[in-house]
């Protein structure tokens, strides 16, 4: 089942919106409103297209054509979604909207003591505008207020690693492919 990934990435999917985070920001070239809303069953195609968009670059660099990338990444996405639903019972699964357009996804598991940043993804055309920095800074401020540690697992080559390090996440475990990071809450 082939899709026009870019068309899916840019179409706004309607549904009941929850303005859990609504802030006006002005950072780099992006000035506007960022809203997080709960995902719904209607967001599956957008989330799949977003996953494909954010994970296809290494495969493309390795010489895989579009149909090979799609054939590989679609089952990867489905497997990840099943794992999240099974392993992360308290996951807050949110669509990131900028100026009313669906442009990303934030997954945070609010566990008893610690929070786990599972993923933050932005469509490639929205990257580099300060949106991730803004959302992650807000997440850190919320964790500080709640007195919660935030943990994350990030691949060595993921650009998110630099953002997390700037926000005082520290490496606590080295793996073969991933780093485990954590950020202690700051006292108020």
């Amino acid at each position: 089942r082939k899709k026009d990934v870019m068309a899916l990435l840019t179409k706004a999917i309607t549904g009941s919106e929850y303005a859990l985070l609504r802030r006006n920001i002005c950072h780099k070239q992006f000035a506007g409103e960022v809203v997080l809303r709960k995902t719904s069953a209607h967001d599956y195609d957008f989330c799949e297209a977003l996953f494909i968009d954010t994970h296809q670059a290494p495969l493309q660099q390795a010489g895989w054509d579009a149909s090979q990338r799609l054939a590989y990444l679609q089952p990867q996405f489905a497997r990840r979604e099943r794992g999240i639903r099974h392993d992360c019972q308290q996951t807050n699964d949110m669509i990131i909207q900028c100026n009313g357009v669906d442009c990303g996804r934030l997954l945070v598991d609010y566990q008893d003591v610690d929070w786990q940043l599972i993923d933050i993804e932005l469509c490639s055309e929205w990257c580099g505008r300060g949106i991730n920095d803004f959302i992650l800074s807000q997440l850190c401020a919320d964790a500080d207020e709640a007195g919660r540690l935030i943990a994350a697992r990030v691949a060595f080559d993921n650009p998110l690693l630099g953002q997390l390090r700037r926000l005082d996440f520290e490496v606590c475990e080295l793996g073969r492919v991933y780093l485990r990071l954590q950020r202690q809450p700051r006292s108020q």
Side-chain angles (χ1 to χ4, degrees), residues 25-172:
I25 64 171
C26 183
H27 183 80
K28 295 186 180 177
Q29 57 268 58
F30 181 75
E33 185 176 65
V34 174
V35 176
L36 297 179
R37 67 168 176 80
K38 289 187 178 284
T39 57
S40 70
H42 301 291
D43 294 314
Y44 186 88
D45 287 343
F46 171 78
C47 291
E48 181 184 54
L50 177 63
F51 180 86
I52 290 167
D53 179 53
T54 59
H55 290 83
Q56 70 177 333
L59 302 177
Q60 190 171 14
Q61 291 170 354
W64 294 30
D65 67 31
S67 63
Q68 290 172 315
R69 292 191 306 268
L70 200 58
Y72 176 75
L73 290 171
Q74 282 179 323
Q76 293 290 323
F77 172 75
R79 211 171 358 268
R80 183 182 86 156
E81 292 299 295
R82 283 192 304 275
I84 289 169
R85 301 296 165 246
H86 181 267
D87 298 337
C88 305
Q89 300 300 316
Q90 297 178 34
T91 299
N92 197 348
D93 188 356
M94 309 297 289
I95 297 295
I96 301 167
Q97 291 184 320
C98 297
N99 295 336
V101 177
D102 293 347
C103 66
R105 185 179 188 191
L106 175 67
L107 291 153
V108 179
D109 187 22
Y110 295 98
Q111 303 166 6
D112 293 335
V113 177
D114 302 334
W115 294 356
Q116 176 72 35
L117 173 62
I118 298 169
D119 206 357
I120 183 167
E121 299 173 322
L122 284 178
C123 300
S124 55
E125 65 267 20
W126 288 91
C127 289
R129 300 182 190 199
I131 299 164
N132 267 2
D133 285 335
F134 170 75
I135 291 171
L136 291 171
S137 294
Q138 186 63 46
L139 179 67
C140 289
D142 292 347
D144 291 344
E145 186 176 310
R148 301 289 191 215
L149 176 141
I150 305 174
R153 192 179 76 139
V154 180
F156 284 99
D157 62 348
N158 189 328
L160 181 62
L161 182 60
Q163 291 175 317
L164 294 176
R165 298 287 290 157
R166 284 191 298 278
L167 291 167
D168 297 325
F169 279 75
E170 297 176 0
V171 176
C172 60

Side-chain angles (χ1 to χ4, degrees), residues 1-22:
R1 138 190 119 165
K2 294 183 181 179
K3 297 178 181 151
D4 181 356
V5 174
M6 292 313 288
L8 284 172
L9 288 171
T10 56
K11 86 174 179 181
I13 296 172
T14 59
S16 58
E17 293 185 10
Y18 300 93
L20 299 178
L21 171 66
R22 184 180 297 268

Side-chain angles (χ1 to χ4, degrees), residues 156 171-180:
F156 284 99
V171 176
C172 60
E173 185 179 319
L174 295 172
R176 289 177 30 188
V177 178
Y178 294 96
L179 296 170
R180 182 162 153 53

